[in-house]
Amino acid sequence: MGVRRKAKGRFLSFFREIFVYHNSSLEFRAKLLAAIIGSNKKINLCEEGVLEEVAKEIYPKNEARVDVLINTTKEFVKKIIEKNGLDVNELILSISRDLKEVKRFHQKIDIPMLERFLVCSKNDKETYIIQLRIIEFLKNSIQDFNKLR
């Protein structure tokens, strides 16, 4: 990623509420990704690689949105790691509230995409179990939503 592209991505991330179309959808996706990654208490190279692949798959024709999604996800993870007013439990509660308030967000949950991060934590049983529980919570949320439809 070039310096100019990085700078543009950081600028858009910082001002995403103003400049990014459908910011709430992007931010919701970033929360999902950050919950999985943040349960590891760090971002390792494997997770960075999966994050980049996933972001490109979600927004295949929009590099700016890819960069904003990556930066926003990392921003949430950094808050978790630094214990800067956010932990994984609070993030999951926020996701739960978002799902209750904005029904279309259920369609944004891609379980197979989130499961791809499990490869990165296979050697850390505790993180792996936490990630599985987060994914299970999201699966249950989708099932409950589909029952109500």
Side-chain angles (χ1 to χ4, degrees), residues 32 95 109 111 114 134-142:
L32 292 172
I95 289 168
I109 302 171
I111 298 299
L114 296 173
I134 293 168
I135 291 169
E136 195 60 38
F137 160 76
L138 295 169
K139 283 180 185 177
N140 290 335
S141 294
I142 293 169

Side-chain angles (χ1 to χ4, degrees), residues 109-126:
I109 302 171
D110 184 340
I111 298 299
M113 175 192 71
L114 296 173
E115 288 174 335
R116 289 165 53 187
F117 286 94
L118 293 173
V119 172
C120 301
S121 63
K122 65 183 176 209
N123 295 327
D124 181 351
K125 250 187 166 98
E126 184 180 333

Side-chain angles (χ1 to χ4, degrees), residues 7 19-20 39 60 63 73 89 92-93 99 103 105 107 112 114 117 119 126-127 129 135 140 145 147:
F19 294 115
V20 178
S39 63
E63 283 184 1
T73 301
N89 293 328
I92 292 170
L93 286 173
L99 287 169
K103 301 301 181 196
F105 282 173
Q107 299 165 352
L114 296 173
F117 286 94
V119 172
E126 184 180 333
T127 299
I129 290 169
I135 291 169
N140 290 335
F145 175 74
K147 287 178 188 176

Side-chain angles (χ1 to χ4, degrees), residues 45-82:
L45 289 176
C46 177
E47 290 167 331
E48 281 202 29
V50 174
L51 176 59
E52 191 166 327
E53 288 172 14
V54 163
K56 288 177 180 177
E57 289 171 18
I58 293 171
Y59 302 116
K61 298 178 181 176
N62 193 333
E63 283 184 1
R65 283 185 84 79
V66 167
D67 293 342
V68 173
L69 178 59
I70 290 170
N71 288 333
T72 304
T73 301
K74 287 181 176 182
E75 189 178 302
F76 282 126
V77 173
K78 184 177 179 186
K79 286 182 179 182
I80 292 168
I81 293 168
E82 294 177 353

